Structures are given as C-alpha cells and as structure tokens.
C-alpha cells in the first residue's frame, strides 16, 4: 500500500476513533428508551440542557428534528454549559461534521471518484442522470416511485466506470441493475430471494433486450465457505445456474460473487449488506458500491462490529440503539407527522393505563398499527390493545383521562428523543466507518461520500471500494 492510501486509511481510522470517543462519552444522552422513563433521565447531570429542551414549544420540535444543524444550534449552547460545569470536554463539532467533507481522496483509492463526496443529486442535470434519453427514462421509471427513481439514477451516476460485470445484491425487481445494464452496457446479475420479483424483473429485462439475469436465492443461505475464487466473467456464472429458480432450490448454490466483478447494493437492510461485505471480501471481489440502510435489522440481539477498530470499542449497541440513525423526519408530510404523533400519544396513554391495570411498572410493547385504526377512537384503540395483550381493564375506563396522560408523557418522550437525535448522525457515521475500515482491513481502497441530497433520502451515504492488489 502506497503512502497516499496509508494516509486515507489513517484518516478513516482517526475519524472513527473521534466519533467513538464522543459516543462513549455521551451514551447517557442517546442510549435511552424514552417510553420506559417518566422524567428526563439525565437532568441531574445536564440541568441547562434540561431547561433548554423544556423551553422549546411543542410546535418547534418537528422543525428542529428535521434539520440537524438547527437542532445542534438550539441545544449545543446548553450542553456546552453543562459540560464545562462537569469539567468534561466533548468534541461537539462532530455533531454536524460530515465524513464526505472530511475525506481525503486520491487517485489510487478508486479508479473513478465521480465526485462522490461533494456532488449531490441537486448538482446534476436531467441529461446526466443515468445516461438515458428522455424517452427511455420515461419508460424505465414508469413503475417506480419518483423519489426511488431519483435515488437509483443518482446512485448509478456515482458508480466508477470500471468496465466490470455487475452483481446487484437484494435486487427486488432489479430496477438498479436494469439501469446499469442500459446506461453502462454492463453484464448484470441480479440476486433476489422472492421469485415473483425475479420473474417480473426478468420479463422487463427481456423486453428491453438487456444483459440482465436474475438469481433467485436467499442471501443468508449462501455459504461463505463456498466463496468463489475464480476470475471468470458474469457469463460463466450465469450459465451455471437456472434463471429464476425458487429460493429453496437455489439455497445450496455457491457464492455468486467472484473476483472480476463490481457488486452494488442500494439500501440493502442490516445484515443483508453486511453479508455482502463479508462474502465479497471472501471472494476478493474487485469493486463494491454500497448504500447501507436499516442497521437495526440484524439477527443478533446486539450489533456485531466488523472492523478490528470497532471491536475494540466499549459501545454495546442494541437493536433499539441502531434505530437512532433512522429517526429523522425529512420526508414525512404534515399529515403523516400528525398521524405519527397521534399514534405515539395513544400508545403512551394505553401504556399508562396498562401499568395501572397490571400493577406492573414496565412498558408493554404493542404490535404495529394499521393506519386505518388511527381514524377510529382512542377507546377503540385501548380495547384492541387490551385484547391483544390480555390486559383486564377492570374499572379503569376513563379513556379520555388516560389519553391526556398519554399526551403529557408524549411531551416528555419527544424531548428525550430530541436530545438523543443530536447524536444520530454521529452514530450513523460510526457505523459507516466500521464498514469502511473493515474493507480497508481486507485490502480495499475506500471512498465514503453522499450520492444524493438528504431531502431525497436521509440514507444517502455511499461506500465505494476497490481491491488494491488488482
């Protein structure tokens, strides 16, 4: 590894260490389950922060929560005051820092940087997006929601031009792979475990006469011990499988990742994108482009760190903790926000009621609601919840009183969550850099940046990696 690549590896390692230190220092403020407490759990140590958050009007909270810079500006002065009183020194500049802006790029890291760290979707013209003609784009996006299509085109534009066959991981109907095949002229294999999606995607690819073939397989059933080590092209691996097999039939197949290949994944959730990273490392896959999502969707009860650096951290992240980066409402419209607030108030109201009825002072989780249930009454909701959880309501049937208690508790939980949200970006960057450092440890040059604007999707991080020995 040359000096330039060593410098970037040190940069990512240093950034990770800085983020890790802040997260360890501030754990009391963000590793909190708001539904389980009846007061600000950190108020004694952070009295100025408590005063500042209670001074905010309810109708200010959503606006602050949607914009990280505004949130930090509103609360960091009080937090800084408390830290001085405690004699502690936290690097609060990390609350608004971006990995992309702090990244040191160099020509040896990836063949084509494509402006990953600085160029957002807003900078691109329609003609640049995906390399399609106007007529082609209209047909390609006809069955794709507008925001999803924006994400796909932005992702494709930021892919390095490597002239490699492509494996699309967790493909769904293969929208991403289809655009890559059309705009880049690449041979694409799309892996997806749901047979109907594979069939629909293959039909579309055949209609457009694209070099896109689907593998119907369970990503978790692919054994790492069978990782491919050959350097054959996509053609050789696609001819060795039956197109659109049932998941059970394909479960025993070998790792479809090979050395001479570029693997791509747009918003593969939790363990699915981690599985891709580990299988690609096993196979020595030449290039990867990954946008992670839904870090909490994991098999284990707690996060399993990937890099040696993260494994040395004292942080123990539960699935609940891993949801923190996803708690930013930049896309929800006012109606959706109102329904969400209504649902939380109802859940908190019933929670107070069930504690009284059961004489057990602990939170009782409820299953997900259908949106149609929110058009009913709080009384109906309580009766449904009581039946679902076998709670005897007995004489505690003054539902309006319990709803008011729920609304009061909601004022508390929203403020607990607001303070925790100061650290959501820090935690997500910690998770992104764990993946980046893992890839560096496996011999990859890595770039981390953003492929689209936050308003298109908050999950806009992009990890580009290329095997340095190739």
């Amino acid at each position: 590894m040359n000096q330039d690549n060593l410098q970037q590896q040190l940069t990512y390692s240093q950034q990770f260490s800085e983020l890790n230190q802040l997260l360890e220092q501030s754990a009391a403020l963000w590793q909190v389950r708001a539904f389980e407490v009846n007061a600000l759990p950190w108020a004694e140590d952070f009295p100025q922060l408590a005063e500042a958050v209670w001074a905010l009007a309810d109708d200010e909270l959503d606006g602050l929560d949607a914009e990280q810079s505004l949130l930090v500006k509103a609360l960091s002065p009080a937090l800084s005051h408390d830290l001085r009183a405690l004699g502690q020194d936290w690097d609060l500049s990390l609350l608004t820092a971006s990995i992309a802006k702090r990244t040191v790029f160099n020509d040896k890291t990836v063949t084509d940087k494509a402006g990953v760290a600085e160029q957002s979707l807003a900078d691109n013209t329609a003609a640049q997006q995906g390399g399609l003609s106007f007529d082609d784009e209209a047909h390609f996006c006809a069955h794709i929601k507008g925001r999803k299509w924006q994400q796909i085109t932005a992702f494709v534009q930021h892919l390095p031009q490597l002239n490699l066959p492509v494996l699309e991981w967790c493909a769904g109907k293969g929208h991403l792979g289809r655009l890559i095949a059309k705009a880049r002229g690449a041979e694409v294999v799309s892996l997806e475990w749901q047979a109907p999606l594979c069939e629909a995607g293959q039909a579309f690819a055949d209609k457009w006469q694209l070099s896109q073939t689907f593998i119907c397989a369970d990503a978790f059933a692919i054994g790492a011990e069978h990782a491919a080590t050959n350097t054959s092209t996509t053609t050789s691996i696609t001819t060795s499988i039956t197109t659109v097999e049932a998941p059970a039939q394909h479960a025993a197949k070998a790792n479809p990742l090979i050395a001479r290949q570029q693997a791509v994944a747009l918003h593969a959730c939790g363990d699915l994108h981690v599985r891709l990273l580990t299988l690609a490392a096993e196979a020595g896959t030449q290039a990867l482009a990954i946008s992670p999502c839904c870090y909490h969707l994991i098999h284990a009860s707690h996060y399993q760190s990937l890099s040696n650096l993260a494994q040395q951290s004292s942080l123990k992240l539960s699935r609940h903790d891993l949801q923190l980066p996803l708690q930013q409402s930049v896309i929800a419209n006012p109606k959706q926000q109102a329904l969400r607030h209504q649902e939380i108030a109802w859940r908190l109201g019933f929670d107070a009621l069930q504690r009284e009825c059961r004489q057990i002072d602990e939170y009782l989780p409820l299953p997900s609601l259908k949106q149609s249930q929110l058009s009913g009454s709080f009384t109906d909701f309580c009766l449904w919840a009581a039946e679902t959880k076998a709670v005897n309501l007995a004489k505690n049937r003054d539902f309006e009183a319990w709803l008011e208690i729920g609304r009061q508790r909601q004022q508390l939980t929203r403020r607990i969550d607001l303070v925790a949200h100061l650290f959501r970006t820090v935690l997500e960057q910690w998770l992104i850099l764990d993946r980046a450092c893992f890839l560096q440890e496996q011999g990859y040059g890595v770039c981390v940046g953003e492929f689209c604007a936050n308003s298109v999707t908050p999950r806009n991080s992009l990890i580009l990696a290329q095997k340095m020995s190739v």
Side-chain angles (χ1 to χ4, degrees):
M1 180 176 293
N2 65 31
Q3 189 61 38
D4 287 340
N5 296 324
L6 179 59
Q7 179 60 47
Q8 185 171 53
Q9 182 170 7
L10 291 174
T11 299
Y12 283 142
S13 299
Q14 289 169 346
Q15 289 184 49
F16 180 89
S17 296
E18 291 172 356
L19 295 169
N20 185 73
Q21 182 179 33
L22 179 58
L23 288 171
E24 289 179 345
Q25 292 169 325
S26 61
L29 296 178
W30 60 269
Q31 282 192 308
V32 181
R33 293 179 180 265
F35 273 37
E36 297 182 357
V37 298
N38 295 312
L40 297 176
W42 36 258
E44 184 176 349
D45 289 331
F46 300 92
Q48 292 297 316
L49 182 59
E51 183 178 333
V53 78
W54 278 119
L56 296 171
D58 288 349
D59 58 9
E60 292 182 84
L61 302 184
D62 283 341
L64 292 175
D65 198 33
E67 181 56 57
Q68 187 72 12
S69 61
L70 295 179
L71 177 59
V72 173
K73 183 178 180 180
L75 297 182
S76 61
L79 176 55
S80 296
H81 186 281
D82 286 330
L83 290 173
R84 287 193 296 271
L86 291 168
Q88 296 186 27
D89 183 21
W90 299 359
D91 186 357
L92 298 184
S93 68
L94 295 174
L95 297 179
T96 52
S98 167
I99 299 174
K101 293 178 181 177
R102 304 173 74 204
T103 297
V104 179
F105 286 102
N106 58 77
D107 292 339
K108 299 299 183 181
T109 304
V110 291
T111 299
D112 181 0
K113 296 183 289 296
V116 171
E118 299 174 355
Q119 185 178 21
S120 70
L121 182 61
D123 298 322
N124 304 330
T125 64
Q128 291 174 317
Q129 291 183 8
L132 295 179
S133 69
F134 180 82
D135 289 340
D136 281 348
E137 184 173 352
H139 288 294
F140 260 74
C141 68
H143 305 292
I144 308 173
K145 293 182 179 179
R147 201 181 301 276
K148 186 64 177 178
W149 177 245
Q150 286 180 298
Q151 295 167 23
I152 290 170
T153 54
F155 186 96
V156 172
Q157 186 188 350
H158 288 81
L159 289 179
Q161 294 274 12
L162 300 175
N163 298 319
L164 290 170
V166 172
L167 176 71
E168 179 190 14
W169 190 255
C170 300
K173 292 182 180 179
H175 297 314
L176 173 63
R178 187 159 61 247
L179 181 57
I180 294 172
K182 176 66 176 178
R184 298 291 180 91
E187 297 280 337
V188 177
V189 171
S190 297
L191 185 143
E192 167 58 41
W193 75 279
Q194 296 187 65
L197 299 183
C198 292
E199 292 165 1
Q202 191 66 63
F204 201 110
D206 293 343
K207 178 181 178 181
W208 279 76
Q209 298 182 334
L210 298 175
S211 299
Q212 182 183 23
T213 305
F214 279 75
I215 296 177
C216 194
D218 181 354
F220 294 117
I222 298 171
E225 67 273 16
H226 300 301
T229 57
N230 68 81
T231 57
S232 56
T233 65
T234 300
T235 302
S236 67
I237 65 168
T238 56
T239 55
S240 66
I241 62 169
T242 302
T243 304
V244 193
E245 296 175 79
Q249 292 176 302
H250 199 276
K253 294 294 184 182
N255 184 359
L257 288 148
I258 60 175
R260 189 178 178 276
Q261 191 179 57
Q262 181 181 35
V264 300
L266 174 57
H267 295 162
C269 293
D271 276 345
L272 285 170
H273 71 257
V274 171
R275 186 70 173 145
L276 172 59
L277 292 175
T278 55
L279 288 172
E282 290 256 358
T285 300
Q286 186 172 335
L288 296 95
I290 299 174
S291 178
C293 186
C294 301
Y295 306 96
H296 64 292
L297 296 180
I298 58 177
H299 288 102
S301 61
H302 288 78
Y303 181 68
Q304 306 297 302
S305 297
L306 296 172
S307 66
N308 293 332
L309 196 59
Q311 290 170 12
Q312 297 169 23
S313 172
S314 66
L315 292 177
K316 186 177 182 181
L317 302 174
S318 67
R319 293 172 184 165
H320 178 268
D321 296 330
L322 293 170
Q323 292 183 57
L324 181 60
L326 281 64
Q327 296 173 6
Q328 186 177 15
S329 302
V330 299
I331 293 175
N333 60 43
K335 181 179 179 181
Q336 291 171 325
Q337 288 278 38
L339 288 173
R340 178 59 180 158
H341 291 323
Q342 177 187 333
E343 179 181 348
I344 292 174
W346 283 15
R347 286 178 176 273
L348 289 167
F350 177 76
D351 181 57
L353 170 59
Q354 65 85 15
R355 291 177 194 238
E356 176 67 23
C357 293
R358 297 167 65 225
Q359 289 297 292
I360 301 174
D361 190 21
E362 64 181 27
Y363 178 65
L364 184 65
L366 293 173
S368 299
L369 284 183
K370 298 178 181 178
Q371 186 169 317
S372 59
Q373 289 178 267
L374 296 173
S375 62
S377 68
F378 178 64
T379 297
D380 292 337
F381 169 78
C382 287
L383 295 175
W384 166 80
E387 181 179 1
T388 300
K389 288 297 183 176
V391 175
N392 182 4
L393 298 180
K395 298 180 180 180
N396 297 289
R397 289 180 172 266
D398 187 355
F399 295 114
E400 284 303 312
W402 292 110
L403 177 56
E404 182 56 31
I405 291 173
R407 289 170 176 156
Q408 292 174 6
R409 287 189 66 198
Q410 186 179 34
Q411 290 182 314
L412 170 67
T413 60
R414 290 182 72 188
R415 285 161 174 80
I416 292 173
D417 287 339
L418 195 68
V419 170
H421 292 174
L422 284 170
F423 303 93
R424 62 190 167 197
T425 301
V426 177
L427 180 56
E428 180 158 28
Q429 292 182 355
W430 187 98
L431 292 163
I432 292 289
L433 287 180
D434 180 29
R435 286 145 178 77
C437 290
F438 167 77
L439 288 170
Q440 288 181 324
E441 291 168 2
Q442 304 303 311
Y444 287 85
V446 182
C447 287
V448 177
E450 296 171 354
F451 70 93
C452 70
N454 185 266
S455 58
V456 176
T457 173
R459 308 281 75 74
N460 62 352
S461 294
L462 176 63
I463 302 173
L464 294 179
Q466 186 174 334
K467 198 73 172 176
M468 299 308 300
S469 59
V470 175

